[in-house]
Amino acid sequence: MELLEYIQYVLAPQVLNGLTVGVALILVALGLTIIFGLLDVLNMSHGEFYAVGAFLTIGLGAMGVNFWALIVLAPILMIPLAIAVERFLIRKVYDGADRHVTTLLVTFGLALVMEDVLKLIFGANPHRPENPLPGASEVLGIVFPHYRFLLIIVGAFIILVISYIVYRTKLGSMVRAAAYDRNMAASLGVPVGLIYSGTFAFGVGLAALAGVLLAPIYSVFPTMGRDFIFMAFSVVIIGGMGSILGAVVAGLLLAQISSLSSLFIEPVWTDPIVFGVMVIFLMFRPQGLFGRIGHA
Amino acid sequence: MMNSNLGRSMGALCLALGLASQVMAETPIKIGVVTPLSGTYAGIGQPIRWGMEMAAKEINEAGGIAGRQLQLIFEDEEANPAVAVQRAERLIQVEKVDFLTGTVNSGSTLAVGQLGERNNTLVSTTVSYADSITGERCSPNVFRVNARAEQQSIALAAWLAKSKPDARVFYIGPDYEMGRSTVAAFKAKAEQYGLKTVGEFFAPLDAKDYTQYFNQIRAARPDVIYTSVAGNDTVRLFSQLAEFGLMRDVTMIGSAGVITSQNIKAVGKAGDGFTTGTGYSPDLNIPENKTFVAAYKALYKQDPDTFAADSYGLIYGYKAAVEKANSTDTDKVRAALQGLSWSTPQGTKQIRAGDHQGIQDMLLVSIKDGQFNVIDKVPAEEAIGPDVCTKF
Amino acid sequence: MHDRITQTFRGSHVLTAVLVAAALAFMLVGIANNDTFYLRLGTEALIFAGLALSVDLLLGYTGLLSLGQAMYFGIGAYVSAVVLIHTQSFWLAMSASLGASLLAAIVGGIIANQVRGVYFALITFALAQVVAKVIYNTQSLGSSDGLIGIPVVDVNLGVAAISTSSPAGFFLAVLTIIIGLYGLTAWLLNTPFGRVLIALKANERRVPFLGYSVWRARLAAYVLAGAIAGISGALYPMLRGFVSPELLFFSTSGNALIAVILGGVGTLAGALYGSIILIVLKSVISTYTTHHLIVIGSLFIALVLFVPQGLTGYVRPYIVAWLERRSTRRSNDQKPSMPTAVVLKRDSS
């Protein structure tokens, strides 16, 4: 096959698909890395919040709520749950000696409970909300569904907005200050407690948003929280914990690796390859590509 | 004096014997059901439970099995063979069940079957369709009343050759042993009928996104796509294929587990037109099934599926075997089961003595508007493959 | 070595002795009742207690949270299964499993010990996922169905032989092995090497200043833990006659972790108690609801928040205090006029 044809009919679609997966992955990983970067908490239940977002689409959708409204509604509905989790679970173990371990354990237990609760309420069978933007178009010989275009655009928009907030607004600088030095920030008048709760809510809200956006194409079922764990953690580690730019770059990179690798190798080897990349980073550049939020 | 003593002891003996036989007649026959009541396969465990409970209720109301009441004892195996074996052992040792059934995935069936073999208890599955269970890994204590993968494949291939003799077929499967062997088995039969293979790929289990493989499909331009995915993977594959417009002018076919009552709603419109070879459909138009469906709907307010029908049939099969053997002794029931013919919602089934595999008429079923419809039938003798079990 | 930590170990030993006594009593009751199921359930609890032990060694003493110990358990189980199918030799299976898990743990340890803390947890988690997936897709190992047909073998002890199908006999054999692993671990932690491990948990940055290599100590601990998990895993196919990939899944590692937290982190005895309690708890809860994870998950969270030292951790200080009273009372009887400090010096070795 000619090189140009190869690029147009084989490479380009793969890259586009990788972009969709990448955007989804970034949304999930962003929340995780922000929580990790600011609160120094590894949220093992992050995947479950992603699942809750998706299930809200099913549950509220069945009650007649419009899908587009849910994109805004789902993260907002997560706020009380997130604040409760942060205040009553995470903050309790936060000041212990092995904070990393205990927060990991607490969020691990939370993940168990959340998954089973979802199963209790919605049953074990899969669900799928109707695609709100059906149809596909052919552009330059590549067929691409409308909804996935929208996904890429919406995802990119959200990422840009977040970057703007974090790096160019006062709120963002407070968050970065609190990440860098909690006590100093507090003594400068930054409402650290509020920032912590708010950031956690924001992080899991992002996960829930990803759940809503992906539900029409990835379907909804109680164990879906495990879908992204491996990849999201890899993105956080490779990108640098707490780094937004790192999450974006690593997310796009890893998504493209898994998308393009299926052209050359057996798909079952994708996970080991990603794992290998992660290990190499940890060995030679443990702070990831871009280091830590507030510390860059 | 002596006479009255003798008389009294004789009387006591008679009373004791009389009481004993009363007790004997009243001890229930116990069937242990180790089935996934939680976890991913809970949606299959439920119709199994319902089918069996309905059968037990009917049998008990009609007087039980040989005068004894039938009791079902359920345990949750969480779709994990390690848990299944643990619970099954409890049923055998503590509850002292006469028969074991209920396992869904083939790993659990094989492990529980081995346990049955080591504990002189008979085991049957009503769901597992891996050929090996009554094939290379058969066991004298393991039975299967539902159709196995080979029967499904033969039926489907025969129908495909008949209705689309020049079809170009593309194969999609989940990348694990069962997924690959199902595809391979069907491909072999299809190629025997002269149907052309134009491509294949195997995606990892639980793959979220199949779009990276769609290029291959586009390049191959198939008329028919055969798949062996199941559960959530089906929902994703089908909805994504529809999303990308790859279902236009393509007939989707696959193994019987691809779309079941568990995921048919989530698959939605993308599932319309999907055809498979299977052992049951609720709209099967024979009198035994009409009675069964009516009773099931009255009790559980929904249509039965293949898991319910096969499980219901098993209980009646066991009843027939016990009554034929006039005992619940393992060896006698085994002998009675071998070659047994009995009436089920799918018509008459027979258990082949050589490998303990149930033989039945196979149906070709197609989905339309979210419902299964029977479109064709393949008689039992044609659909059953050879007996490859050499262990007994 | 004789210091505060030794005394806490003595407390753990008392708790373990109580457990062994209870286990033996349980076994005798089982024999009297001709029981099969409960003895084998107990044996399974003990086998998984070995896995929990390996988690506690890492988490409770070295300060490393490993989320992938099930990998070594599974490797031990599969190797044992394959060896048993082909040779029917108990000792060969055990040695092969030990060798395989040592090898795997060395490789895994080199990979994982590049990092600390949370990253370590993630790496062990990912490593276990990757290996589990490879086994899941390997046809010669039975793929997703696993391997059945592991024969019943005899544990040949020279003077006598115990069949693995004997409920009480194999229970006793497994009890001996697991307590042996406990004893070995406890002894090791009481040596200078063991103290380095404990120092790692207390303050890792200081350890190099004391002249010890952090990397080497952690690797040694990790390999030991892997070996313990592997030996425990090797016993599983002997009990149940089959192995399946679910043994390597995260749920198995997770259960071990829950058992350790439940029983008490950092006591070794807690791992044993926790495993047994967890199995009992799961059986009981399952008879009432299929949503047992909600109960166990909530219990787990409550423990981490409010009783982080777990059951044995709660009880042990009392036992240690009681032991101390006994020993000072005894030494006071022997030498009533000696000041306490001198007595203690005499006691140290």
Side-chain angles (χ1 to χ4, degrees):
Chain A
M1 208 193 249
E2 261 205 58
L3 183 62
L4 216 59
E5 268 186 10
Y6 187 76
I7 294 181
Q8 185 185 8
Y9 291 112
V10 180
L11 270 187
Q14 296 298 83
V15 170
L16 257 181
N17 288 326
L19 215 57
T20 327
V21 176
V23 162
L25 183 57
I26 292 173
L27 284 177
V28 176
L30 254 184
L32 193 63
T33 202
I34 287 178
I35 294 175
F36 202 11
L38 172 64
L39 296 178
D40 208 13
V41 167
L42 192 68
N43 185 12
M44 290 286 280
S45 60
H46 203 74
E48 302 307 319
F49 286 98
Y50 161 74
V52 170
F55 272 100
L56 278 175
T57 321
I58 302 289
L60 293 178
M63 290 196 257
V65 180
N66 183 290
F67 181 83
W68 305 113
L70 281 167
I71 295 185
V72 178
L73 211 56
I76 294 181
L77 287 172
M78 298 297 287
I79 294 182
L81 176 64
I83 294 185
V85 167
E86 199 274 325
R87 178 152 287 159
F88 297 118
L89 290 183
I90 297 180
R91 227 182 271 193
K92 273 247 155 64
V93 292
Y94 198 67
D95 292 313
D98 13 327
R99 167 204 317 157
H100 280 165
V101 171
T102 37
T103 50
L104 201 152
L105 291 176
V106 161
T107 48
F108 164 67
L110 182 64
L112 291 178
V113 175
M114 283 176 79
E115 183 180 304
D116 219 2
V117 167
L118 284 173
K119 212 179 292 179
L120 180 69
I121 301 179
F122 290 98
N125 294 331
H127 301 88
R128 190 172 59 94
E130 267 316 304
N131 190 332
L133 203 64
S137 301
E138 185 163 329
V139 175
L140 295 174
I142 310 171
V143 178
F144 209 63
H146 298 147
Y147 188 71
R148 291 194 184 223
F149 265 133
L150 187 75
L151 210 63
I152 297 179
I153 296 174
V154 170
F157 176 70
I158 293 175
I159 294 169
L160 285 172
V161 167
I162 292 175
S163 311
Y164 181 79
I165 293 180
V166 172
Y167 288 114
R168 296 227 185 271
T169 63
K170 187 162 164 215
L171 175 67
S173 57
M174 285 203 280
V175 170
R176 281 183 288 135
Y180 189 70
D181 190 333
R182 174 178 165 197
N183 294 321
M184 192 56 126
S187 61
L188 286 173
V190 172
V192 173
L194 205 63
I195 297 247
Y196 275 26
S197 294
T199 312
F200 188 78
F202 183 68
V204 300
L206 267 180
L209 177 63
V212 172
L213 287 173
L214 292 173
I217 57 172
Y218 284 171
S219 82
V220 179
F221 50 97
T223 54
M224 67 189 289
R226 303 184 205 163
D227 268 355
F228 274 110
I229 288 187
F230 179 71
M231 281 300 240
F233 282 145
S234 308
V235 167
V236 168
I237 288 178
I238 295 176
M241 67 171 200
S243 163
I244 294 179
L245 185 59
V248 174
V249 172
L252 288 174
L253 202 66
L254 286 182
Q256 289 302 335
I257 290 179
S258 40
S259 184
L260 290 171
S261 66
S262 67
L263 287 176
F264 308 111
I265 55 169
E266 288 280 321
V268 73
W269 293 111
T270 320
D271 271 359
I273 290 183
V274 171
F275 177 71
V277 173
M278 180 162 72
V279 170
I280 292 177
F281 263 89
L282 281 174
M283 289 189 353
F284 298 113
R285 201 184 155 88
Q287 74 272 36
L289 287 170
F290 294 101
R292 192 176 166 153
I293 189 173
H295 293 250
Chain B
M1 229 34 206
M2 286 281 263
N3 275 348
S4 62
N5 266 348
L6 187 61
R8 240 182 280 157
S9 10
M10 286 287 279
L13 189 61
C14 284
L15 193 62
L17 278 174
L19 278 172
S21 60
Q22 265 284 68
V23 168
M24 275 286 282
E26 278 167 8
T27 49
I29 296 182
K30 297 188 192 177
I31 296 185
V33 188
V34 190
T35 194
L37 295 171
S38 71
T40 339
Y41 293 117
I44 299 184
Q46 189 172 75
I48 292 177
R49 185 180 190 137
W50 282 352
M52 291 192 181
E53 284 182 335
M54 190 168 108
K57 186 159 153 291
E58 290 174 3
I59 290 176
N60 284 338
E61 277 168 7
I65 300 180
R68 292 166 68 183
Q69 290 284 290
L70 178 61
Q71 186 187 7
L72 299 173
I73 306 176
F74 289 89
E75 285 279 2
D76 181 10
E77 62 133 310
E78 298 169 27
N80 186 338
V83 179
V85 167
Q86 201 196 85
R87 301 281 151 87
E89 193 172 59
R90 196 192 89 85
L91 288 170
I92 294 179
Q93 300 288 347
V94 176
E95 297 281 355
K96 306 241 187 300
V97 295
D98 300 294
F99 192 75
L100 261 182
T101 181
T103 47
V104 166
N105 50 327
S106 39
S108 294
T109 303
L110 287 168
V112 172
Q114 180 177 257
L115 187 73
E117 202 178 315
R118 294 184 178 179
N119 283 277
N120 198 30
T121 307
L122 295 178
V123 177
S124 174
T125 177
T126 59
V127 176
S128 304
Y129 56 83
D131 288 326
S132 55
I133 294 174
T134 48
E136 324 87 65
R137 288 161 125 180
C138 60
S139 153
N141 283 19
V142 174
F143 290 82
R144 169 162 48 196
V145 298
N146 55 301
R148 67 184 178 191
E150 194 190 31
Q151 287 163 287
Q152 299 165 354
S153 275
I154 295 179
L156 188 58
W159 171 84
L160 189 63
K162 195 169 67 176
S163 53
K164 294 189 193 328
D166 297 316
R168 300 153 52 84
V169 189
F170 193 94
Y171 295 91
I172 302 178
D175 193 4
Y176 76 117
E177 220 266 300
M178 182 74 198
R180 281 184 177 266
S181 57
T182 311
V183 167
F186 184 81
K187 187 153 67 142
K189 296 195 174 44
E191 286 176 348
Q192 259 173 15
Y193 281 109
L195 296 161
K196 194 151 161 257
T197 303
V198 293
E200 66 177 23
F201 69 77
F202 295 93
L205 259 180
D206 296 328
K208 283 183 297 291
D209 213 316
Y210 291 87
T211 53
Q212 48 186 294
Y213 311 102
F214 285 175
N215 245 359
Q216 301 178 41
I217 302 180
R218 234 179 264 289
R221 267 185 267 269
D223 309 302
V224 173
I225 297 183
Y226 174 92
T227 180
S228 61
V229 293
N232 304 320
D233 292 349
T234 307
V235 182
R236 289 168 162 172
L237 177 65
F238 276 54
S239 61
Q240 287 167 14
L241 281 172
E243 229 192 320
F244 278 71
L246 283 168
M247 280 185 166
R248 234 178 289 134
D249 305 323
V250 167
T251 308
M252 298 292 301
I253 64 175
S255 58
V258 174
I259 300 190
T260 65
S261 49
Q262 276 64 52
N263 60 1
I264 188 170
K265 207 163 143 269
V267 173
K269 261 192 305 225
D272 275 353
F274 173 75
T275 306
T276 183
T278 180
Y280 182 76
S281 174
D283 70 324
L284 175 60
N285 200 354
I286 56 178
E288 298 95 317
N289 189 42
K290 293 256 164 278
T291 340
F292 171 65
V293 172
Y296 192 92
K297 262 178 124 147
L299 205 52
Y300 300 117
K301 313 284 181 286
Q302 45 179 265
D303 274 341
D305 58 13
T306 181
F307 311 124
D310 285 321
S311 304
Y312 177 89
L314 169 70
I315 304 292
Y316 274 96
Y318 182 70
K319 169 174 185 289
V322 169
E323 287 176 346
K324 179 162 156 207
N326 205 8
S327 148
T328 53
D329 168 70
T330 297
D331 293 317
K332 296 201 182 132
V333 176
R334 185 194 300 117
L337 278 170
Q338 285 171 193
L340 181 79
S341 284
W342 81 108
S343 165
T344 71
Q346 292 121 311
T348 309
K349 277 195 194 180
Q350 190 189 45
I351 295 185
R352 182 156 69 179
D355 58 357
H356 296 175
Q357 171 64 45
I359 302 180
Q360 61 173 91
D361 290 335
M362 295 299 289
L363 306 169
L364 269 307
V365 166
S366 186
I367 296 184
K368 194 166 138 68
D369 297 329
Q371 301 280 344
F372 292 103
N373 296 303
V374 177
I375 58 175
D376 210 342
K377 197 180 210 165
V378 174
E381 325 75 59
E382 268 181 52
I384 189 71
D387 177 350
V388 297
C389 172
T390 52
K391 301 233 174 103
F392 55 88
Chain C
M1 307 222 71
H2 188 120
D3 54 15
R4 192 91 205 138
I5 297 182
T6 316
Q7 290 170 320
T8 61
F9 265 116
R10 294 227 174 108
S12 288
H13 294 337
V14 169
L15 284 166
T16 310
V18 169
L19 185 78
V20 173
L24 288 171
F26 173 76
M27 183 181 84
L28 291 171
V29 170
I31 294 177
N33 284 331
N34 231 342
D35 172 69
T36 308
F37 171 70
Y38 289 104
L39 281 173
R40 287 157 67 90
L41 189 65
T43 314
E44 190 171 314
L46 285 172
I47 291 178
F48 283 102
L51 176 62
L53 198 66
S54 80
V55 171
D56 194 23
L57 169 62
L58 288 176
L59 181 63
Y61 289 95
T62 323
L64 295 170
L65 174 61
S66 167
L67 291 175
Q69 286 306 96
M71 177 171 83
Y72 303 107
F73 185 84
I75 289 177
Y78 267 85
V79 169
S80 168
V82 172
V83 171
L84 281 173
I85 288 180
H86 289 114
T87 67
Q88 282 115 46
S89 162
F90 171 79
W91 295 110
L92 205 59
M94 292 301 278
S95 338
S97 296
L98 176 60
S101 38
L102 275 175
L103 207 66
I106 292 176
V107 173
I110 293 178
I111 297 178
N113 276 303
Q114 302 293 327
V115 295
R116 292 193 251 117
V118 150
Y119 293 128
F120 179 84
L122 287 179
I123 288 253
T124 52
F125 171 76
L127 190 57
Q129 296 277 79
V130 167
V131 173
K133 206 163 198 188
V134 170
I135 291 188
Y136 195 82
N137 282 309
T138 308
Q139 203 160 351
S140 50
L141 290 175
S143 313
S144 53
D145 289 342
L147 293 166
I148 59 167
I150 287 104
V152 170
V153 297
D154 281 335
V155 180
N156 207 331
L157 297 167
V159 289
I162 305 177
S163 166
T164 54
S165 66
S166 149
F170 195 56
F171 177 82
L172 191 60
V174 170
L175 181 66
T176 314
I177 294 177
I178 299 295
I179 297 298
L181 288 174
Y182 166 86
L184 174 70
T185 313
W187 174 79
L188 253 158
L189 285 169
N190 225 2
T191 60
F193 164 69
R195 291 294 191 266
V196 175
L197 295 183
I198 297 178
L200 282 177
K201 182 178 185 197
N203 192 335
E204 193 173 300
R205 275 189 216 148
R206 263 215 185 142
V207 172
F209 292 101
L210 293 170
Y212 296 100
S213 157
V214 170
W215 190 85
R216 245 185 259 164
R218 277 171 50 186
L219 185 64
Y222 189 78
V223 170
L224 179 64
I228 294 176
I231 292 177
S232 310
L235 295 167
Y236 183 84
M238 296 177 195
L239 175 71
R240 294 296 186 196
F242 82 101
V243 287
S244 75
E246 280 86 356
L247 291 174
L248 289 107
F249 285 1
F250 179 61
S251 50
T252 310
S253 298
N255 278 334
L257 190 59
I258 296 177
V260 168
I261 299 286
L262 189 57
V265 181
T267 60
L268 288 186
L272 305 178
Y273 273 96
S275 252
I276 295 174
I277 295 176
L278 187 61
I279 275 203
V280 170
L281 213 62
K282 272 190 160 182
S283 303
V284 168
I285 298 178
S286 307
T287 51
Y288 290 109
T289 166
T290 58
H291 295 276
H292 49 88
L293 274 181
I294 297 185
V295 180
I296 292 184
S298 314
L299 180 64
F300 182 78
I301 296 177
L303 282 169
V304 173
L305 288 179
F306 303 117
V307 196
Q309 70 273 42
L311 240 73
T312 55
Y314 187 76
V315 168
R316 195 169 66 166
Y318 295 105
I319 297 185
V320 171
W322 172 73
L323 280 175
E324 250 177 79
R325 281 201 298 276
R326 268 187 65 202
S327 71
T328 45
R329 210 184 305 134
R330 210 186 285 140
S331 48
N332 282 343
D333 288 338
Q334 288 169 356
K335 308 235 188 287
S337 53
M338 279 287 186
T340 331
V342 179
V343 172
L344 277 175
K345 231 206 252 178
R346 290 252 179 125
D347 277 349
S348 71
S349 40

